[in-house]
Amino acid sequence: MPHLSRQARLLARNYVQPNGFQAKSSSTTFQCARSFSVSRPTLEDVAITRTGKPIIKIAGLHSEVRRQIPLNKTKLIRAPGHTATVFGATGFLGRYIVNRLGMKLLIDCVKVALAEVIGIQHVQDEYDLRNTASIEESVRHSDMVYNLVGRDYPTKNFDLEDVHVEGTHRIAEACAKYDIDRFVQVSSFNADKNSPSEFFRTKARGEEVARNVFPETTIVRPAPMFGFEDRLLNKLASASNLFTSNHMEERYWPVHVIDVGMALETMIDDDGTASQTYELHGPTEYSTAEIAEFVDKEIIKHRRHFNVPKAIMKPVAQALNRGIWWMQTSADQVEREFIDQKIDKTAKTFADLGIEPAELPSLTFDYLKGYRSSAYYDLPPQTERERREEKRYLHVIDDQ
C-alpha cells in the first residue's frame, strides 16, 4: 500500500457524496442536481499530485474545495478530482478546451471567468486582468490553470503588452503564490522577442515572464487554427475580405482547433508535460493563396482579393483600428502577412502527446458549407465532386 499523508487519509475517510448544488451569480440563478453512486473511497482512490497535494479520484469530488468555495463562485471539477481554472474561456480556443474538459469534468461549481457552464447555465463571474485579487480568487483552489487570454489587436483599454505580458505575469504570480500544480500558458507560433511584429514579440516576452515566475510552466504555441468561428477559413470565405498586402504568400501549417483542445486536455493527466514547450501545428504547410483556393472550391464562388502595398496598407489599418470600435484590421496584422511560420525543432509536437492532427482539406466542407448559395447548398464536398468528374473521362495511356 503506498505511503499516504495524514491529510490524504482524512480526505478519503471524511468524504461525503453530494446530491446537488445551487449556485448564484449577480445576474442569474440556476440549480442542478446530480445522482452519484454511494461508495466510500479507498486509499487507492487517493492520488498525490506533482506538488504533493492529495486528491480523491471520485467523480465530482474535491471535498476540500466544496467546503471552502462560496456557492456564487464556480469551478471545473474533473472526474478524477482535478480542479481547473480556464482564463479566456469564451475565446475561440477557450470554448473547445472547456468542451473537452466538460466531457470528463463533472460540473459541480464551475469556475470559468465570464464563461459558459456546459449544458447548464451561463454564469457571469467577472475577473479583471489588472485586479490581482480577482485573479488569485480564481486560481486559489485549483490544481490546473490554463491561460488562454490573448489579444490579436490593441484597443483603447488594453494594448498587446498589457494582455500578453502584464496579464500573464499576474496569473503566473497567483499560481506561484498558491502553489498550483500545473500552469499552461498558450502562446503563439513565431513567438520571438526580435520579431518585427509586436504581437509575436509580446507573446515571446509573456513566455519568458511565465517561466521566470513559474518555472514549471508548460508553453503551448498553436499554429493558425481553423474551425467554427475561426479567423482563417471564415475570413477567406467572406465577401468583405478584399485587401491583402503580400499577394497572400504567407506560409504556415494550419491546425484544427479541436486537436489543440485535445492536446490541452491531455496535459491535465500528464505531469511529464510540465516545463515543456509544444509547437502544435498541422501536418501540411500551405500559403494563404492555396487555402483561398480550397475555400473558393468549397463555397463554389470566387472571392476577389486586391493587393495593396504595405506602405499604404499599414497606416490605413492603424487608422481603422483606432477610429472604429469593431475589428477590421490593424497595422500589426499587416506586418504579420510578411512573416512565414517558423517551427522550433527543439519543441515537442502532437506526436509526443499521441495525437495525429487532421488535414485541412478533409474538414473545409463542414466549416464552409454555410457560405454556399441555395443553388449549390446540397452538393457534396469538392473532393467528392472531383472524383465524380474523373469518371466522366476515359484516360488513355500513351504506351499501350
Side-chain angles (χ1 to χ4, degrees):
M1 182 180 297
H3 174 72
L4 296 173
S5 66
R6 182 172 179 273
Q7 183 183 7
R9 294 174 185 272
L10 288 174
L11 276 173
R13 187 177 63 189
N14 296 333
Y15 167 63
V16 178
Q17 296 275 17
N19 293 321
F21 71 92
Q22 184 178 22
K24 298 180 179 180
S25 70
S26 58
S27 58
T28 57
T29 302
F30 66 91
Q31 189 170 13
C32 174
R34 296 264 182 177
S35 298
F36 301 108
S37 58
V38 179
S39 61
R40 180 173 292 277
T42 63
L43 292 178
E44 285 75 15
D45 293 322
V46 179
I48 305 300
T49 65
R50 186 179 58 84
T51 57
K53 296 178 182 178
I55 56 175
I56 301 181
K57 299 160 69 174
I58 296 295
L61 169 73
H62 203 315
S63 57
E64 182 181 6
V65 169
R66 277 202 189 90
R67 289 194 297 267
Q68 297 182 22
I69 295 181
L71 288 179
N72 66 335
K73 299 298 180 182
T74 54
K75 287 267 179 187
L76 276 172
I77 310 296
R78 195 181 184 283
H82 290 290
T83 307
T85 297
V86 182
F87 290 96
T90 56
F92 174 49
L93 176 58
R95 289 189 288 271
Y96 287 90
I97 177 57
V98 171
N99 177 266
R100 294 294 308 181
L101 292 174
M103 294 178 183
K104 294 183 178 180
L105 290 157
L106 190 59
I107 299 174
D108 177 62
C109 297
V110 182
K111 177 69 185 177
V112 251
L114 284 174
E116 285 188 18
V117 179
I118 303 297
I120 297 181
Q121 181 70 32
H122 181 99
V123 177
Q124 288 198 345
D125 189 19
E126 297 186 9
Y127 79 98
D128 188 335
L129 201 57
R130 294 190 176 106
N131 188 327
T132 303
S134 67
I135 294 174
E136 291 179 354
E137 178 63 24
S138 297
V139 307
R140 61 194 295 258
H141 295 295
S142 299
D143 50 68
M144 185 75 171
V145 173
Y146 294 93
N147 180 24
L148 277 59
V149 178
R151 173 57 69 188
D152 204 34
Y153 54 92
T155 65
K156 66 178 182 179
N157 295 319
F158 289 91
D159 59 24
L160 300 183
E161 182 82 13
D162 293 334
V163 177
H164 299 155
V165 182
E166 298 300 328
T168 298
H169 185 261
R170 293 186 184 95
I171 293 173
E173 280 192 329
C175 292
K177 178 178 179 178
Y178 289 98
D179 197 20
I180 305 301
D181 291 303
R182 297 293 311 284
F183 176 45
V184 177
Q185 168 71 14
V186 177
S187 183
S188 170
F189 69 102
N190 281 354
D192 182 2
K193 290 189 293 183
N194 299 317
S195 173
S197 165
E198 183 185 6
F199 178 86
F200 293 143
R201 291 197 304 271
T202 54
K203 282 291 188 178
R205 290 203 294 274
E207 292 179 5
E208 186 177 46
V209 164
R211 280 273 169 83
N212 288 340
V213 176
F214 197 91
E216 295 83 12
T217 299
T218 301
I219 303 294
V220 177
R221 297 171 182 161
M225 294 178 286
F226 64 91
F228 286 114
E229 304 170 345
D230 67 12
R231 294 179 183 172
L232 178 58
L233 299 180
N234 286 288
K235 181 179 179 180
L236 292 173
S238 172
S240 62
N241 181 42
L242 295 174
F243 302 106
T244 181
S245 293
N246 191 27
H247 298 279
M248 305 177 75
E249 294 180 357
E250 178 191 1
R251 302 194 65 84
Y252 42 85
W253 304 68
V255 64
H256 195 200
V257 67
I258 292 179
D259 292 333
V260 178
M262 190 183 305
L264 294 175
E265 176 214 354
T266 301
M267 293 174 184
I268 199 171
D269 289 324
D270 187 358
D271 285 341
T273 59
S275 305
Q276 301 297 324
T277 299
Y278 288 84
E279 288 266 4
L280 302 183
H281 57 83
T284 307
E285 183 185 29
Y286 299 96
S287 69
T288 304
E290 291 169 341
I291 299 175
E293 185 177 350
F294 283 132
V295 171
D296 287 351
K297 287 182 179 180
E298 208 63 84
I299 67 177
I300 319 180
K301 296 177 183 176
H302 177 63
R303 298 302 193 194
R304 294 182 178 274
H305 303 279
F306 302 98
N307 197 77
V308 180
K310 180 180 177 181
I312 298 175
M313 192 62 185
K314 280 191 74 172
V316 171
Q318 186 173 16
L320 286 173
N321 180 234
R322 292 180 176 179
I324 57 178
W325 62 267
W326 64 92
M327 176 55 190
Q328 289 294 330
T329 185
S330 68
D332 194 72
Q333 286 178 312
V334 175
E335 183 66 48
R336 275 176 264 161
E337 290 186 29
F338 293 83
I339 305 174
D340 293 339
Q341 181 179 359
K342 297 181 178 63
I343 297 175
D344 183 0
K345 299 299 183 182
T346 64
K348 294 188 175 182
T349 63
F350 280 113
D352 298 284
L353 298 171
I355 298 172
E356 184 178 355
E359 288 279 4
L360 172 68
S362 65
L363 295 166
T364 52
F365 173 75
D366 299 318
Y367 297 128
L368 295 173
K369 186 178 180 181
Y371 286 94
R372 293 181 174 185
S373 70
S374 59
Y376 305 111
Y377 190 79
D378 293 326
L379 287 182
Q382 59 101 359
T383 51
E384 178 64 25
R385 295 200 309 277
E386 289 173 351
R387 283 194 290 268
R388 292 183 183 182
E389 191 71 17
E390 283 287 311
K391 294 179 181 179
R392 295 177 57 186
Y393 299 96
L394 177 63
H395 296 273
V396 179
I397 302 176
D398 294 337
D399 59 355
Q400 290 184 355

